[in-house]
Amino acid sequence: LPAVYSLDGLLVFGLLLVCTCAYLRKVPRLRTWLLSERRGVWGVCHKAAVIGTRLHVAVSVSCLLMAFYILVGK
């Protein structure tokens, strides 16, 4: 439970949300079903998917850096 309130946990959660939503955006049936709404909770998923697809290089580099930090730094 303490990991939920740390900055590390928040960053990992954000990266996982962006990566998962970007992956789900590539599936055609899920894209029309889940990510078509632009308001509310599903709107957050839509915005995360847009961030993940437009900034895929920055997101992948930050995922690698976070993985290295968790495995070696902690």
Side-chain angles (χ1 to χ4, degrees), residues 14-36:
L15 284 172
L16 286 174
L17 178 72
V18 168
C19 292
T20 303
C21 291
Y23 177 77
L24 290 177
R25 187 175 181 172
K26 297 293 182 184
V27 180
R29 186 169 288 184
L30 290 177
R31 182 178 185 175
T32 58
W33 186 54
L34 290 177
L35 300 174
S36 62

Side-chain angles (χ1 to χ4, degrees), residues 11 15 19 55-68:
L11 287 175
L15 284 172
C19 292
L55 299 175
H56 62 277
V57 174
V59 171
S60 63
V61 167
S62 61
C63 283
L64 288 173
L65 289 174
M66 183 57 75
F68 181 75

